[in-house]
């Protein structure tokens, strides 16, 4: 990946547990977004956090951003079987380029 | 709410053939992006258009070309197809001044 690492590459947990995925990136950013992808399907936008924000919530999702460490985390609370998917972080470069650079993704499996 | 439309959803071609993928952005969105996602890979940016002009270019082979039309839909033309072109091709759209890119369901291209 051009952007960095996602950690872990795969995560398997029981339904109801919390899932945490981490993302690191290499360059200064304007914002960071998280997307979900069900197997072989489209990318669904989950949440966007700007470079001047440290934490953001949306429903069962909590995203943090640490620009000093160039890292972000996505926490899904009270996981459900329907949360089974791959999760990607994506950044757009600071000042100008809006193209998204994706991380390698975390494959999350929620076991019933 | 209307989403990004891509056609066809699936396409099978032989080596050295030509393929055309179409993308219809969300109404009033003025920017279109194309991404390629190989098997087990993260999406890679190919090219983008803003107001019918190319705005950015990524790792797009010379065999590929794209354009955005007056109605803002975009087409990705791929010639001399190779086995390695087999991938999911996503189109995304956004409105200038906003940062969220909304992705279509993708076109799965298989080159035999």
């Amino acid at each position: 990946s051009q952007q960095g690492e996602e950690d872990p590459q795969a995560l398997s947990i029981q339904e109801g547990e919390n899932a945490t995925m981490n993302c690191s990136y290499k360059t200064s950013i304007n914002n960071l977004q998280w997307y979900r992808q069900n197997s072989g399907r489209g990318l669904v936008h989950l949440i966007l956090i700007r470079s001047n924000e440290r934490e953001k919530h949306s429903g069962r999702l909590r995203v943090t951003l640490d620009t000093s460490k160039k890292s972000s985390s996505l926490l899904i609370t009270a996981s459900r079987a329907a949360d089974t998917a791959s999760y990607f972080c994506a950044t757009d470069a600071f000042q100008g380029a809006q193209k998204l650079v994706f991380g390698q993704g975390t494959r999350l499996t929620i076991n019933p | 709410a209307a989403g990004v439309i891509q056609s066809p959803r699936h396409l099978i071609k032989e080596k050295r053939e030509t393929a055309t993928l179409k993308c219809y952005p969300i109404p009033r969105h003025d920017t279109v992006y194309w991404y390629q996602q190989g098997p087990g890979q993260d999406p890679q940016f190919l090219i983008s258009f803003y107001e019918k002009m190319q705005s950015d270019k990524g790792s797009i082979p010379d065999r590929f070309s794209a354009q955005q039309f007056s109605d803002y839909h975009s087409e990705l033309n791929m010639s001399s197809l190779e086995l390695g072109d087999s991938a999911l091709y996503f189109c995304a759209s956004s409105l200038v001044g906003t940062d969220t890119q909304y992705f279509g369901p993708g076109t799965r291209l298989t080159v035999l």
Side-chain angles (χ1 to χ4, degrees):
Chain A
S1 170
Q2 300 173 36
Q3 196 244 34
E5 299 294 321
E6 287 202 42
D7 164 44
Q9 292 190 0
L11 178 62
S12 181
I13 61 174
Q14 294 300 121
E15 196 167 19
E17 294 181 337
N18 296 341
T20 299
M21 290 159 275
N22 303 297
C23 160
S24 62
Y25 56 91
K26 296 177 180 175
T27 63
S28 296
I29 62 170
N30 189 35
N31 60 61
L32 185 144
Q33 306 182 52
W34 285 89
Y35 286 85
R36 183 185 74 225
Q37 183 179 36
N38 290 84
S39 182
R41 299 199 170 198
L43 292 151
V44 176
H45 183 262
L46 295 176
I47 195 165
L48 179 152
I49 186 165
R50 302 197 182 282
S51 58
N52 61 354
E53 297 176 311
R54 292 295 167 259
E55 187 171 313
K56 202 162 182 180
H57 297 254
S58 177
R60 294 184 295 114
L61 305 180
R62 173 181 168 246
V63 169
T64 62
L65 180 64
D66 186 335
T67 53
S68 67
K69 295 180 179 178
K70 291 187 169 60
S71 67
S72 174
S73 68
L74 171 67
L75 168 67
I76 303 175
T77 60
S79 63
R80 305 168 182 168
D83 294 329
T84 294
S86 291
Y87 291 81
F88 293 90
C89 68
T91 57
D92 65 0
F94 185 64
Q95 287 185 340
Q98 290 186 302
K99 65 183 180 185
L100 293 179
V101 179
F102 284 82
Q104 293 176 327
T106 293
R107 174 67 190 168
L108 175 65
T109 301
I110 309 298
N111 301 303
Chain B
V4 176
I5 297 171
Q6 289 187 247
S7 68
R9 294 293 306 278
H10 301 272
L11 190 58
I12 299 175
K13 290 285 185 178
E14 300 278 342
K15 280 196 308 183
R16 291 180 289 277
E17 285 191 324
T18 298
T20 297
L21 279 55
K22 296 185 179 183
C23 168
Y24 297 86
I26 292 172
R28 294 189 299 281
H29 281 195
D30 48 22
T31 307
V32 167
Y33 312 80
W34 287 97
Y35 294 85
Q36 178 192 57
Q37 185 179 30
Q41 303 294 313
D42 52 287
Q44 297 287 317
F45 171 74
L46 292 177
I47 195 166
S48 63
F49 293 87
Y50 165 66
E51 285 291 342
K52 292 151 280 185
M53 298 287 289
Q54 180 181 308
S55 54
D56 200 357
K57 194 171 181 179
S59 50
I60 182 169
D62 292 341
R63 300 177 289 108
F64 294 6
S65 66
Q67 57 182 324
Q68 186 180 31
F69 294 85
S70 58
D71 64 351
Y72 293 98
H73 94 272
S74 178
E75 294 183 4
L76 177 65
N77 298 294
M78 310 159 70
S79 63
S80 303
L81 287 169
E82 302 173 357
L83 296 178
D85 296 329
S86 294
L88 265 172
Y89 290 84
F90 290 108
C91 170
S93 74
S94 69
L95 183 62
V96 70
T98 67
D99 296 313
T100 301
Q101 292 184 24
Y102 295 91
F103 282 73
T107 293
R108 181 174 295 281
L109 172 67
T110 302
V111 181
L112 302 175

